[in-house]
Amino acid sequence: GCATAAALAEQGWRCTLVERHDAPAQEASGNPAGLFHGIVNPQDGAHARFNRAAALAAQRAVQQAIADGHVLGSTQGLLRLETSGKSAARMQAELRALHLPPDYVQALDATQASRCAGLPLAHPAWFYPGGGWVQPAALARALLQRAGSAVEWHGARQVQALRRQADGWQLHGVAGQVIAQAATVVLANAGDALRLLDAAHWPVQSVRGQISLAAAASVQLPRVPLAGTGYLLPEIDGLAVFGASAQPGDDDAAVREADHAFNQIGRASCRERVSSPV
């Protein structure tokens, strides 16, 4: 939502941003760090190209926020481990066929990936030189600051219903009152958009995820973020950030000890893997 508001402001639009919490990025975007990187698909269809454009745009946005001093993060690269059994030679052949430049993505064998991570790794990896990590909540605030007076912030307002009118849309609160109205509405509220659109039949599924934190000294951490079936970040404010659990179709937002235990098992497995020879 904050990114959309900033993008609209750059195009000369004015908008109202409605948020059910009293501050932005209080739910999933409130995590201490998040990853961003591109994607490689041998068919390079519309979905892959869209994600490539999004990754490049994210890199520019994060770089600007870091340069402005508003957010902690890094765009110095990310490794995505290839655990499917695909060889580095096959990965490199795919990149040659797709003509993807090395400043976007590189295919590294396990030795090269280990050198990049500063840890011994057992798998080849896709290296995204412009990928990295960022503090999502700080980035959201930076985007709003960039938009300036072009955005009118309405916090602590729950949208109960979205209703079409002859001249546009109305957003109604829990008491039926009109919170805002406009000719154009952008929904940036994840799975809750299905409720407002009365579109439960759409083929969209929410996935619950939970990260875990530990003292950075308790685990060997990489120089750049590692992603794959899970992820492990470099040290962030003295913490190791890792995870994440994933339960499709689960909307429960409560923190679960079982998920922390699952993430701990994954972290222990990672420590075993990176502590052994390549």
Side-chain angles (χ1 to χ4, degrees):
C2 295
T4 299
L8 289 172
E10 289 179 355
Q11 299 299 318
W13 286 63
R14 299 185 60 83
C15 67
T16 299
L17 187 56
V18 181
E19 165 64 49
R20 64 180 174 183
H21 296 287
D22 57 4
Q26 297 301 296
E27 296 190 17
S29 295
N31 285 339
L35 306 181
F36 59 93
H37 59 85
I39 190 171
V40 174
N41 186 294
Q43 286 72 45
D44 204 39
H47 181 261
R49 295 195 301 272
F50 175 86
N51 276 278
R52 181 159 63 245
L56 295 171
Q59 177 186 348
R60 292 192 295 270
V62 172
Q63 285 174 332
Q64 180 173 345
I66 293 173
D68 291 342
H70 297 311
V71 59
L72 293 180
S74 172
T75 59
Q76 299 304 307
L78 175 146
L79 285 166
R80 184 169 183 85
L81 300 179
E82 181 58 71
T83 58
S84 68
K86 186 183 297 186
S87 69
R90 180 178 168 189
M91 294 161 62
Q92 291 161 0
E94 287 180 2
L95 294 187
R96 288 193 296 271
L98 293 171
H99 302 290
L100 293 177
D103 59 351
Y104 172 67
V105 62
Q106 301 167 28
L108 307 183
D109 62 28
T111 300
Q112 294 168 322
S114 299
R115 190 178 304 118
C116 181
L119 301 173
L121 302 174
H123 301 282
W126 303 102
F127 177 60
Y128 294 92
W133 68 273
V134 68
Q135 293 176 316
L139 180 60
R141 293 190 295 268
L143 290 167
L144 283 183
Q145 184 174 339
R146 185 190 310 172
S149 61
V151 176
E152 182 179 344
W153 164 264
H154 287 187
R157 299 194 182 186
Q158 172 73 40
V159 179
Q160 189 64 28
L162 176 66
R163 294 175 182 161
R164 179 75 176 181
Q165 304 295 317
D167 57 349
W169 299 89
Q170 287 185 341
L171 279 65
H172 292 256
V174 293
Q177 78 278 24
V178 176
I179 296 176
Q181 54 187 10
T184 303
V185 173
V186 177
L187 298 180
N189 56 340
D192 196 42
L194 302 181
R195 176 183 63 84
L196 292 178
L197 295 172
D198 192 23
H201 60 285
W202 284 11
V204 177
Q205 186 180 51
S206 61
V207 179
R208 168 196 156 83
Q210 182 176 309
I211 67 166
S212 296
L213 307 174
S218 68
V219 61
Q220 191 178 6
L221 295 177
R223 283 198 291 257
V224 298
L226 293 178
T229 54
Y231 57 84
L232 180 65
L233 276 66
E235 179 179 344
I236 300 172
D237 289 337
L239 293 174
V241 181
F242 57 96
S245 61
Q247 292 102 11
D250 189 338
D251 296 325
D252 180 18
V255 176
R256 298 175 184 170
E257 289 304 317
D259 284 22
H260 281 317
F262 173 84
N263 290 339
Q264 289 282 4
I265 292 171
R267 187 188 72 163
S269 173
C270 181
R271 291 185 67 182
E272 273 181 20
R273 199 163 52 239
V274 301
S275 297
S276 60
V278 175

